[in-house]
C-alpha cells in the first residue's frame, strides 16, 4: 500500500500530460475520466484498511473485551454491558413488626426468712415472689417456702445464704432439691440450715434465698 501511495502522484501527472497532449481526442477524454476514478479508488482503498474499526479498535454489537459497543436508541449502553448506575433514593420505612415476647426480668423471686424461734416467717421488706414459709419434713431447721401464684421455684437453681441479723448461731444455709426421701410439697422450695459443731439442723439461723 505504501508503494501504491508513492506511485499515485506520478500516475496522475502522466495522465494530466496525456490530457494536455490529446485534448478532446477519444484518448484524451478516457484519460480525463480516469483521473477522477483513481482518487475515488484510492479513498475507498484507504477506508478498507480501517473497515469496522475506530482508531484501530474494532466494534461489536455484543460486549467483548477490547471492542466498542454501540449505544441504544436512547443513548445508553445496553443492559448486557453491566454498567453500575448511581445509587437510587432510599425507600420508605417498612411496617413495624409485632413486639417480641417479654424477656426474663432478672431475679424472679427472693426472700428473707426469720427462724423466729421455731415459728419461721417471711420478712416482707426483703421478700418478693414468695407467699409463705413453714417447717419442713425434717423438723426444725428445715424450711418449705411457698411461691406466689405464677412463680416457679422448684425447677431452677436457687441460692441460699446465711443472714447475720436474724442468726444467733454460727452455721450454713443450703437449698435442697431431693430426688428421693422426704421433701416439701410439689412446687415449693426447700432450704435447710445447719450449725457446724456439731453439724445438725438448727432453727437459730436466718437466711436469704434468691431464685433466678
Amino acid at each position: 500500500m505504501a508503494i501504491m501511495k508513492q506511485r499515485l502522484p506520478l500516475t496522475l501527472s502522466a495522465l494530466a500530460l496525456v490530457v494536455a497532449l490529446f485534448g478532446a481526442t477519444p484518448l484524451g477524454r478516457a484519460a480525463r475520466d480516469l483521473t477522477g476514478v483513481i482518487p475515488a479508488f484510492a479513498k475507498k482503498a484507504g477506508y478498507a484498511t480501517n473497515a469496522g474499526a475506530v482508531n484501530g479498535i474494532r466494534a461489536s454489537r455484543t460486549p467483548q473485551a477490547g471492542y466498542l459497543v454501540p449505544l441504544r436508541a436512547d443513548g445508553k449502553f445496553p443492559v448486557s454491558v453491566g454498567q453500575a448506575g448511581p445509587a437510587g433514593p432510599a425507600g420508605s420505612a417498612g411496617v413495624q413488626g409485632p413486639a417480641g415476647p417479654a424477656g426474663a426480668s432478672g431475679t424472679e423471686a427472693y426472700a428473707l426468712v426469720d427462724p423466729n424461734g421455731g415459728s419461721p416467717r417471711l420478712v416482707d421488706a426483703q421478700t418478693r415472689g414468695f407467699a409463705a414459709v413453714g417447717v419442713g419434713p425434717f423438723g426444725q431447721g428445715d424450711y418449705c417456702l411457698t411461691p406466689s401464684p405464677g412463680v416457679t421455684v422448684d425447677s431452677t437453681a436457687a441460692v441460699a445464704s446465711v443472714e447475720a441479723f436474724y442468726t444467733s448461731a454460727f452455721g450454713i444455709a443450703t437449698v435442697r432439691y431431693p430426688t428421693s426421701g422426704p421433701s416439701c410439697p410439689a412446687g415449693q422450695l426447700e432450704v435447710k440450715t445447719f450449725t457446724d459443731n456439731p453439724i445438725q439442723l438448727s432453727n437459730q439461723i436466718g437466711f436469704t434465698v434468691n431464685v433466678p
Side-chain angles (χ1 to χ4, degrees), residues 13-120:
S13 299
L15 287 173
L17 179 59
V18 171
V19 172
L21 292 175
F22 292 95
T25 64
L27 184 58
R29 286 195 298 272
R32 190 166 52 247
D33 294 339
L34 187 58
T35 58
V37 173
I38 290 179
F41 171 77
K43 292 179 181 179
K44 291 181 180 179
Y47 173 78
T49 62
N50 201 34
V54 177
N55 290 334
I57 304 175
R58 301 187 66 183
S60 173
R61 292 187 178 278
T62 58
Q64 297 185 54
Y67 280 68
L68 296 174
V69 178
L71 300 179
R72 300 182 310 198
D74 59 2
K76 297 181 180 180
F77 280 105
V79 177
S80 57
V81 172
Q83 283 194 326
S92 57
V95 179
Q96 183 175 355
S105 58
T107 300
E108 186 175 276
Y110 53 86
L112 170 57
V113 176
D114 175 7
N116 197 29
S119 298

Side-chain angles (χ1 to χ4, degrees), residues 117-182:
S119 298
R121 70 180 186 91
L122 296 173
V123 179
D124 292 340
Q126 281 78 40
T127 298
R128 177 182 177 182
F130 285 99
V133 59
V135 177
F138 292 93
Q140 294 295 315
D142 187 28
Y143 303 90
C144 292
L145 286 84
T146 303
S148 300
V151 177
T152 300
V153 297
D154 60 346
S155 60
T156 59
V159 177
S161 301
V162 173
E163 192 282 327
F165 183 82
Y166 295 99
T167 296
S168 56
F170 185 80
I172 62 172
T174 181
V175 176
R176 178 172 182 257
Y177 289 106
T179 57
S180 63

